[in-house]
Amino acid sequence: MENKKVNLRFGIIGVVILLAAASRLIPHPAGFAPIAGMALFGAAYYSKRYWAYILPIAAMMLSDIVLNTWVYSAYMDGHMLWWSLYTYGALALIVLMGTFTLKKVRVLNMAGSAVGASVIFYLVSNFGTWISSGMYLHTWEGLGTCYVAALPFFRNGLAGDLLYTGVLFGAFELLMYSFPSLKVQKAV
């Protein structure tokens, strides 16, 4: 019986992450996405840390495949953008940060983690764009230009990170309140 509770918790956490990733397919402002929320959510609730990395990154890759195949296919020319690897790296760094900052799920911890995640994602993903895309000169000035050009995305990303983090954590906390068996803290 205890194992079924653990599997139920594991499954619900996974479904929440997959639903968040699927929300990327809904039209939204550029940069307003569930990426950090998924990573922080996994970091906070998976007791086996490797799942906190595997599921959000796999969900992100799956949604990237769908987006790049059907939505952005005219721009992709059938190829994954190399700077996407920096996006996945940023996601892994956000999970790592969340394992330290979200040992206790509290509103202030979540908000601070969401802001930190926004900064990590902005710095890492735009560095990847600068180094890999050929859109900017490979000079300090080119890097600065890249970061300045990405500021509107940072604003939208911060708003999305705060909203999605609040929604994901709030929904799961409500589920745990409604179904106490989800509070099982066994290995997931």
Side-chain angles (χ1 to χ4, degrees):
M1 181 68 168
E2 191 70 29
N3 195 27
K4 286 183 181 181
K5 290 179 184 178
V6 172
N7 289 335
L8 178 63
R9 178 182 168 89
F10 176 87
I12 289 175
I13 294 168
V15 166
V16 168
I17 290 171
L18 289 172
L19 287 173
S23 75
R24 295 181 67 215
L25 307 177
I26 300 168
H28 58 276
F32 191 91
I35 297 167
M38 295 179 339
L40 294 172
F41 183 76
Y45 291 115
Y46 277 127
S47 58
K48 290 197 177 193
R49 292 294 167 219
Y50 59 87
W51 287 115
Y53 292 93
I54 292 171
L55 268 148
I57 292 172
M60 176 80 170
M61 286 180 174
L62 184 61
S63 64
D64 276 349
I65 290 168
V66 171
L67 286 169
N68 295 339
T69 301
W70 286 287
V71 179
Y72 304 125
S73 60
Y75 308 105
M76 304 306 291
D77 194 29
H79 298 91
M80 181 186 92
L81 299 175
W82 285 107
W83 62 85
S84 294
L85 297 176
Y86 290 89
T87 300
Y88 304 134
L91 197 61
L93 287 173
I94 293 167
V95 171
L96 179 64
M97 178 196 66
T99 61
F100 294 105
T101 61
L102 294 170
K103 289 184 181 194
K104 291 190 180 204
V105 176
R106 305 269 192 269
V107 173
L108 192 56
N109 294 0
M110 290 182 331
S113 296
V115 171
S118 294
V119 171
I120 290 169
F121 190 82
Y122 171 80
L123 293 174
V124 174
S125 65
N126 288 297
F127 178 81
T129 299
W130 171 72
I131 200 83
S132 302
S133 72
M135 293 170 54
Y136 302 96
L137 295 174
H138 289 150
T139 63
W140 288 111
E141 184 179 341
L143 180 60
T145 301
C146 178
Y147 281 127
V148 169
L151 282 173
F153 298 101
F154 176 72
R155 183 187 66 237
N156 289 348
L158 178 59
D161 293 344
L162 289 167
L163 177 73
Y164 276 104
T165 298
V167 168
L168 295 176
F169 280 80
F172 192 67
E173 289 292 324
L174 184 60
L175 278 172
M176 286 193 302
Y177 178 79
S178 300
F179 303 98
S181 63
L182 293 176
K183 293 182 182 179
V184 175
Q185 296 300 315
K186 299 287 181 186
V188 177

